[in-house]
Amino acid sequence: MMMISEAMNEQMNAQIGHEFGASLQYVNIAAYFDDAGLPTLRDHFFRQADEEREHAMKFVRYVLDAGGALRIPSIPAPRHQFATAEEAVSLALEWENTVTKQINDLLGRAASERDYVAHDFLEWFAREQLEEVSSMDTLLKMVRRTGESGLMLVESAIASGRALSVSGPGESHS
Ligand SMILES: [Fe+2]
Ligand SMILES: [Fe+2]
């Protein structure tokens, strides 16, 4: 029994590709920070990569629960070279902005199909995007403020847990 339209199924399969793509991109950004001798930023992006994988898996389970067909698209190779930390974090923020638009498009489809179950499922992602865009934007501002030579300050701010709402108090982030 299908509880999902073909179009919604297709768009969710595409989103699974975007979420896995974000995960791979964040692994590569983590590698950049590892190479730069910034292990806290590295671990921060490894955590983000894990979360993106969890997002992909939430969509996988939804498609299967709704009786749809899982078709994972090919994932483009992530970018692996960055001149600066600012460039790497900017790319991450661009990703988050793009994903926010994709989630909104999915919500738009759910609304127009009057698929209230999908809409309810997708609202979690919309709230998640608010948090992720906001924390990535904060990180980019911090990196710009300290400059490339001051990134150790960003490291300690993240390590102290005061920066970036991603790991804020009482947040269960998945
Ligand atoms: Fe995501
Ligand atoms: Fe994200």
Side-chain angles (χ1 to χ4, degrees):
M1 217 234 341
M2 291 263 284
M3 283 191 58
I4 187 172
S5 74
E6 296 229 344
M8 180 69 85
N9 192 164
E10 200 178 308
Q11 207 166 326
M12 284 194 177
N13 278 330
Q15 192 61 34
I16 290 165
H18 300 320
E19 301 289 345
F20 277 128
S23 183
L24 294 184
Q25 186 58 75
Y26 290 169
V27 169
N28 247 320
I29 291 175
Y32 168 81
F33 284 118
D34 182 74
D35 192 51
L38 297 161
T40 306
L41 279 156
R42 174 199 61 203
D43 292 346
H44 178 70
F45 276 94
F46 275 145
R47 273 196 305 277
Q48 298 311 112
D50 288 346
E51 280 180 16
E52 297 304 343
R53 186 183 181 283
E54 281 169 27
H55 295 169
M57 291 306 295
K58 274 182 195 276
F59 276 105
V60 166
R61 282 188 289 270
Y62 186 87
V63 166
L64 297 180
D65 286 350
L70 180 67
R71 302 273 183 270
I72 300 175
S74 57
I75 318 289
R79 195 163 137 203
H80 62 272
Q81 266 187 328
F82 305 97
T84 59
E86 182 181 352
E87 206 176 279
V89 178
S90 295
L91 180 71
L93 180 58
E94 262 173 54
W95 259 103
E96 294 301 337
N97 282 325
T98 302
V99 168
T100 300
K101 193 184 164 298
Q102 290 159 348
I103 297 295
N104 285 334
D105 288 346
L106 278 160
L107 274 162
R109 171 172 299 285
S112 70
E113 291 183 3
R114 307 182 66 168
D115 182 344
Y116 301 117
V117 180
H119 200 279
D120 180 61
F121 168 73
L122 290 162
E123 276 175 345
W124 180 89
F125 285 91
R127 288 192 300 273
E128 177 75 2
Q129 282 313 117
L130 175 66
E131 195 181 312
E132 294 204 354
V133 167
S134 159
S135 83
M136 203 61 81
D137 185 59
T138 301
L139 180 59
L140 182 58
K141 283 176 182 153
M142 287 167 67
V143 166
R144 285 186 173 146
R145 177 172 290 276
T146 63
E148 298 292 316
S149 62
L151 291 173
M152 291 303 290
L153 291 170
V154 177
E155 289 264 297
S156 22
I158 296 173
S160 76
R162 279 176 291 112
L164 308 181
S165 59
V166 277
S167 45
E171 275 291 334
S172 78
H173 194 65
S174 58

